[in-house]
Amino acid sequence: MAPHGLILTITIALGAAFLGGFVAARLRLPPLVGYLGAGIAVGPFTPGLSADPAIATELAEVGVILLMFGVGIHFSLEDLWAVRWVAIPGAIGQIVIATAVTALVVPAWGWTYAQGIVFGLAIAISSTVVLIRTLTDVGLLESAHGKIAVGWVVVEDLAIVIVLVLLPPLAPVLGGTAGAGGDDLAFRLAITAAKVALFGVLMIAVGTRAIPWLLEQVARTGHRELFTLAVLVVALGVAVVAAFAFEVSLALGAFLAGVAISESDLSHQAAAEALPLRDAFAVLFFVSVGMLFDPSFIVREPLLVAAVVALIVVRKWLVSSGIVLALGYPIRTALIVGAGLAQIGEFSFVLSEVDRQLGILPAEGHDLIIAAAIITITLNSLLFRSIEPIAERLRDVGAVRAFDDRRAGALARLERDRADKLQRHAVVAGHGRVGSLVARALQRRNMEVLVVEQDRRVVESLRDAGTAAIYGDAGHALVLERTHLDRALLLVVALRDPQTSRRVVEYARRTNERIGIVARAHTRDAAAYLKKAGANEVVLGEEELAIEMTGYALHRLGVSPQEIALIARGLRAR
């Protein structure tokens, strides 16, 4: 390229990414699709203006480092632990099944079983970015379904870190052209494991203390740009040390650097400062991936592309949903988690890039992954639209109802004596942070409370404590029928899922015209939605937060409690 190759490459890549992302957003598609399309447009396989692939690939390495650094910063052991019973076995089981199925299928394409294993790993990893964006758009990110899906994809991200560490020493055995022969495999694996262990120990013993201490000292200077620079130096520095001193992947080093920061008091500030840098270089990474894709490949191999898309969408949806069902969760939860994971994205590209450098996959493998990613990400929003109709039809199937009842067992209904005694009781749908607080407050007033919850362990613990509770999807009419809403005095809908909340409210209002219904909502649209469905009162979280903050501010200014109460009432009325 011309003398200013680096500047031209960054300008062309970011400019094309901006246009592609903007068009994708206007078409209600994830911007990631636009970034990949931009890479294709400025790549060597399409006419017109083109960027330098070599420079773009170097910049993409920085994107990988910052992506993994961001995953490390946002990694929360507490959140993962809350859904460990489904996220860990589910993610591991799905990866194993995906890899095995792909390895059995690819010989029909002329590939080896070893290539099938590597390709299966690449298409088993879902996109965290796409999943979170989709769950946010449909209002399910903070729901029980969303927490399971996010926990699941975090386990997948951790699994890909392990795979990235093991691939280089295993490359010769898997048919790769890079590295030494396969004779000393056990020795090389032992050396790799020892280096990773040593690096991990150093990061735990030294990094988790030294890195937060360093950031704290920099933060005390009061110079924001210096703090941003410190975060960038930590991310890149630890990754480079990991790669050159310990010969482990850049990705692992960056991830552990993020984990070291995640437990410090400055983790949120570090994440905020790193976010713009991460986003910019991640965009360059996606553009560089697109530049390596030949769009004519889809025309040349349409059946192969369709087969891979089916492997990702159909197989991942069915397998993931089946695992969630097998672990005791309701049908709708299984469908939501399965649909959310039925796509591939950023870490599939990372693994594909490593495979390409090691020479494991055939040339068409990289093209297949990019083509499948673009198609599955585009299809993902359509899959979510089909969840409700499918769930409704399945609920009406007698065999499915019988299966649900058998699986739920005694947790699905109360003992007859206790059910007969329920009179003028409160039904609390959802026993999370909000529902549990409301339930305890009502019980302190000696009111009988019946909890509906879709986490079996929560139901079991509530029953052990003497609280009436049943297991099931609160949006299911059969489950609500067992709460005896016709005799209830109050219904508290503490669910985060607006669609399920509306079904609960509608059913309750049809069953008992006099029952008092209070529900939670996160947006004005959802609040109006629930009001129209029949809720007497809808509490909008952000508005209540604003009212409480206003009340405190007025109190500090000397306003009387009576006047503050009147102002709060007026704000709620508006």
Side-chain angles (χ1 to χ4, degrees):
M1 209 173 200
H4 302 293
L6 176 62
I7 296 174
L8 283 174
T9 298
I10 292 176
T11 303
I12 293 171
L14 290 180
F18 166 71
L19 291 175
F22 181 75
V23 171
R26 293 302 298 267
L27 295 174
R28 305 183 71 83
L29 294 172
L32 179 57
V33 175
Y35 304 152
L36 291 170
I40 296 170
V42 299
F45 300 103
T46 53
L49 191 65
S50 63
D52 187 336
I55 295 177
T57 303
E58 287 290 323
L59 294 172
E61 288 283 359
V62 181
V64 172
I65 291 171
L66 293 178
L67 271 173
M68 296 304 294
F69 181 67
V71 171
I73 287 181
H74 291 103
F75 174 69
S76 171
L77 189 59
E78 182 182 351
D79 289 346
L80 179 58
W81 191 252
V83 294
R84 64 192 182 282
W85 299 112
V86 60
I88 296 175
I92 294 173
Q94 191 276 137
I95 291 172
V96 170
I97 293 171
T99 304
V101 169
T102 308
L104 292 174
V105 169
V106 296
W109 308 345
W111 295 14
T112 65
Y113 288 115
Q115 289 172 330
I117 290 172
V118 176
F119 188 73
L121 287 169
I123 65 173
I125 309 298
S126 304
S127 167
T128 309
V129 173
V130 173
L131 174 68
I132 291 176
R133 173 64 185 271
T134 305
L135 289 173
T136 302
D137 288 346
V138 297
L140 294 175
L141 182 61
E142 296 298 328
S143 68
H145 328 292
K147 288 182 181 297
I148 291 172
V150 172
W152 188 304
V153 84
V154 166
V155 176
E156 289 186 351
D157 290 347
L158 295 176
I160 204 66
V161 171
I162 297 171
V163 171
L164 290 172
V165 170
L166 294 178
L167 264 184
L170 287 173
V173 179
L174 295 171
T177 57
D183 301 334
D184 56 347
L185 174 62
F187 176 74
R188 284 185 290 108
L189 282 176
I191 292 295
T192 299
K195 289 178 178 178
V196 171
L198 177 59
F199 180 67
V201 168
L202 286 174
M203 286 300 298
I204 293 171
V206 180
T208 53
R209 293 175 174 84
I211 293 174
W213 177 85
L214 173 64
L215 293 181
E216 186 176 341
Q217 301 308 309
V218 174
R220 287 178 179 174
T221 66
H223 295 288
R224 181 176 176 179
E225 72 281 1
L226 196 59
F227 187 85
T228 304
L229 185 59
V231 172
L232 185 60
V233 167
V234 167
L236 296 175
V238 174
V240 169
V241 168
F244 290 97
F246 295 90
E247 295 183 354
V248 299
S249 69
L250 291 166
L252 176 62
F255 173 76
L256 290 179
V259 171
I261 292 176
S262 68
E263 298 303 321
S264 76
D265 295 334
L266 295 169
S267 60
H268 294 294
Q269 185 179 349
E273 298 299 334
L275 187 62
L277 294 167
R278 187 198 68 181
D279 289 347
F281 280 99
V283 165
L284 289 173
F285 168 70
F286 295 131
V287 171
S288 73
V289 169
M291 289 171 66
L292 297 170
F293 176 62
D294 182 359
S296 65
F297 177 78
I298 297 179
V299 178
R300 297 196 312 269
E301 299 285 356
L303 294 179
L304 191 57
V305 172
V308 173
V309 170
L311 269 176
I312 295 169
V313 176
V314 179
R315 190 257 315 144
K316 287 186 79 171
W317 197 359
L318 291 177
V319 170
S320 301
S321 298
I323 291 173
V324 175
L325 277 175
L327 291 172
Y329 286 84
I331 289 173
R332 187 162 177 270
T333 301
L335 291 174
I336 289 171
V337 174
L341 297 168
Q343 37 75 16
I344 60 173
E346 58 272 13
F347 293 116
S348 298
F349 304 144
V350 173
L351 186 56
S352 172
E353 277 294 291
V354 174
D355 292 335
R356 192 174 61 83
Q357 293 166 10
L358 296 173
I360 299 174
L361 290 179
E364 61 187 7
H366 189 81
D367 288 337
L368 275 172
I369 288 172
I370 299 174
I374 294 172
I375 295 171
T376 57
I377 291 171
T378 305
L379 290 175
N380 203 239
S381 58
L382 298 177
L383 291 180
F384 265 91
R385 293 175 195 169
S386 66
I387 289 173
E388 292 303 324
I390 292 174
E392 288 298 326
R393 290 181 182 179
L394 288 175
R395 287 190 185 108
D396 294 334
V397 177
V400 174
R401 286 187 182 180
F403 169 75
D404 271 347
D405 269 357
R406 285 197 306 273
R407 186 182 54 177
L411 295 179
R413 55 179 63 81
L414 295 176
E415 294 178 1
R416 178 169 294 183
D417 290 345
R418 186 155 195 179
D420 291 342
K421 291 177 182 177
L422 285 176
Q423 194 76 28
R424 296 180 63 78
H425 59 289
V427 176
V428 177
H431 198 262
R433 293 177 182 175
V434 174
S436 59
L437 288 173
V438 175
R440 283 199 295 270
L442 294 173
Q443 287 172 326
R444 288 194 189 101
R445 294 286 181 176
N446 297 318
M447 189 171 195
E448 180 73 11
V449 173
L450 171 59
V451 175
V452 184
E453 173 59 46
Q454 63 176 14
D455 189 325
R456 298 177 68 97
R457 283 165 293 278
V458 171
V459 174
E460 289 169 352
S461 64
L462 284 169
R463 288 192 173 191
D464 290 341
T467 299
I470 60 174
Y471 161 78
D473 181 358
H476 198 310
L478 185 61
V479 174
L480 290 174
E481 184 181 318
R482 293 167 179 164
T483 64
H484 302 285
L485 282 167
D486 55 322
R487 308 198 302 259
L489 182 67
L490 175 66
L491 169 65
V492 179
V493 185
L495 303 166
R496 288 182 174 270
D497 179 356
Q499 295 168 339
T500 302
S501 296
R502 178 166 183 171
R503 283 200 298 273
V504 174
V505 171
E506 287 174 339
Y507 179 90
R509 187 54 70 207
R510 287 197 307 269
T511 305
N512 186 345
E513 292 183 358
R514 294 177 141 189
I515 191 171
I517 302 175
V518 58
R520 69 183 294 187
H522 292 279
T523 65
R524 288 182 179 275
D525 289 342
Y529 193 73
L530 293 172
K531 275 279 190 182
K532 186 177 180 181
N536 298 94
E537 186 71 34
V538 180
V539 179
L540 193 57
E542 289 187 357
E543 287 189 357
E544 286 301 314
L545 178 62
I547 290 170
E548 287 296 320
M549 292 176 72
T550 301
Y552 177 79
L554 293 174
H555 171 71
R556 296 292 293 180
L557 293 175
V559 179
S560 68
Q562 294 79 7
E563 190 174 350
I564 291 173
L566 287 173
I567 292 170
R569 190 179 304 167
L571 289 172
R572 288 190 180 98
R574 275 163 47 192

